[in-house]
Amino acid sequence: MNLLTFDTHAKLHESGAGIITGLVQTNPRAVLGLATGGTPIGIYEEIVKSYQRGVVRFRDTTTFNLDEYVGLPEDHAESYRNYMNMHLFNHVDLPRAQAHIPDGNAADAQAECAHYDKLLEQAGQIDLQLLGLGHNGHIGFNEPDHALISGTHIVELREETRKANARFFDSMEQVPSHALTMGVGTILKAKMILLVVKGEDKAEIVHRALTGPITTDCPASLLQTHPHLVVLMDSEAGRLFQ
Ligand code: PGA
C-alpha cells in the first residue's frame, strides 16, 4: 500500500488526476472505474484541464461508475449520471456509449445488475478503480454488514449514508433509500485502486480501514488485501498515520 498525504487540496487533486491521465496516456484503451461524491470533484476538474490542454484523450477509454441511486430521473441534479456529465463527461471526448453507470430506473433492478456485470466482464479487468470512503467505511455503496456481495446488487442505504448525502438534496426525505452498486469482488479485481480521502471527519475511519482488522463491518478494510492500493489523503484525513 502506498500512502500519500498532501498539505493542500490542489496538490492532492493534481496528483490524483496525474495518476489517471498518466494511465490513459500510456494505455488509451484503459478501463477506468469512477466514483462520485464530494471527494473526487477536484480530481475531475484537473482531468478536464489536462484534456483542454490537449495532453490526454479519452476516445478509446471505457469507464464504469461504482453506483447509482434507485428511482432518481437521469437528469435529476443529484443522479450520478448527471454528476458525471457535469463534472467530466460533458467536458471530454469520452464516447457516451463507453461511459457506463448502472441504470437506477431499470424496471427490473436484478436484471440491470446482471447486465452491468456482463458489461464489466466483457470489458475485462478494470485498470484503475477510483474510490472515496464513507464515514461508516463503505466503498461504492457497499455498506457495513455481516456479509458482503461480490457482484453488482441493489442495496438499502444506511441511515448514516443518507444523512451524509442529504447535504446534496433539499431535505433528508428526498435522499433515495436504495442504490445499485458494484460489489466488493469487482472492486477488488481492479488492477490498481486509488482511494481518495479528505477531511478530519474521515481521519478515524481511514485509519481503522487501513490498519485495523479486515472485516465486513468496515468494507474498506478489505482494501488491505489489494496488491496495488494507492491512498491519497489530505493532512486532516491522514492525521492518525503521522
Ligand atoms: P464523499 O462520499 O466523497 O461525498 O465524502 C464518499 C463516499 O460516500 O464514498
Side-chain angles (χ1 to χ4, degrees), residues 146-198:
H146 58 275
L148 297 176
I149 296 173
S150 177
T152 305
H153 58 284
I154 185 162
V155 64
E156 180 171 6
L157 300 177
R158 298 280 287 258
E159 193 65 5
E160 62 264 26
T161 298
R162 294 185 65 239
K163 270 192 194 138
N165 289 3
R167 69 192 196 277
F168 299 117
F169 292 82
D170 290 338
S171 70
M172 178 74 180
E173 291 68 48
Q174 291 179 20
V175 185
S177 58
H178 289 77
L180 303 184
T181 185
M182 241 187 229
V184 285
T186 307
I187 293 172
L188 291 172
K189 259 191 272 169
K191 283 188 203 161
M192 173 183 173
I193 293 181
L194 183 61
L195 175 68
V196 184
V197 192
K198 297 197 286 197

Side-chain angles (χ1 to χ4, degrees), residues 36-40 132-135 138-141 161 165 167-168 202:
T36 50
T39 307
L133 175 67
H135 291 97
H138 73 207
I139 46 176
F141 272 136
T161 298
N165 289 3
R167 69 192 196 277
F168 299 117
K202 302 253 179 98

Side-chain angles (χ1 to χ4, degrees), residues 71-145:
L72 280 188
E74 244 182 42
D75 60 354
H76 187 286
E78 296 308 328
S79 79
Y80 287 162
R81 169 65 71 181
N82 192 53
Y83 170 109
M84 290 308 301
N85 288 343
M86 301 267 297
H87 294 295
L88 186 66
F89 298 159
N90 285 351
H91 311 290
V92 299
D93 62 347
L94 175 74
R96 289 305 161 97
Q98 289 157 217
H100 304 288
I101 301 183
D103 179 1
N105 289 302
D108 182 343
Q110 302 290 358
E112 172 60 14
C113 292
H115 172 65
Y116 205 64
D117 283 343
K118 188 99 200 144
L119 290 174
L120 280 157
E121 196 185 310
Q122 283 164 359
Q125 213 177 355
I126 289 177
D127 291 291
L128 181 149
Q129 177 66 57
L130 178 62
L131 286 182
L133 175 67
H135 291 97
N136 61 6
H138 73 207
I139 46 176
F141 272 136
N142 293 278
E143 301 280 36
D145 212 335

Side-chain angles (χ1 to χ4, degrees), residues 8-92:
T8 70
H9 282 169
K11 289 182 203 168
L12 187 159
H13 298 154
E14 277 169 28
S15 295
I19 291 169
I20 295 169
T21 55
L23 172 69
V24 175
Q25 283 165 334
T26 54
N27 176 15
R29 302 180 67 81
V31 179
L32 301 177
L34 299 179
T36 50
T39 307
I41 292 175
I43 291 179
Y44 292 138
E45 281 171 5
E46 290 301 320
I47 291 175
V48 171
K49 282 188 208 161
S50 296
Y51 173 78
Q52 286 168 344
R53 282 202 306 273
V55 298
V56 65
R57 288 284 171 265
F58 296 92
R59 278 186 298 258
D60 300 316
T61 306
T62 300
T63 66
F64 286 91
N65 266 77
L66 283 166
D67 44 23
E68 178 59 285
Y69 289 118
V70 168
L72 280 188
E74 244 182 42
D75 60 354
H76 187 286
E78 296 308 328
S79 79
Y80 287 162
R81 169 65 71 181
N82 192 53
Y83 170 109
M84 290 308 301
N85 288 343
M86 301 267 297
H87 294 295
L88 186 66
F89 298 159
N90 285 351
H91 311 290
V92 299

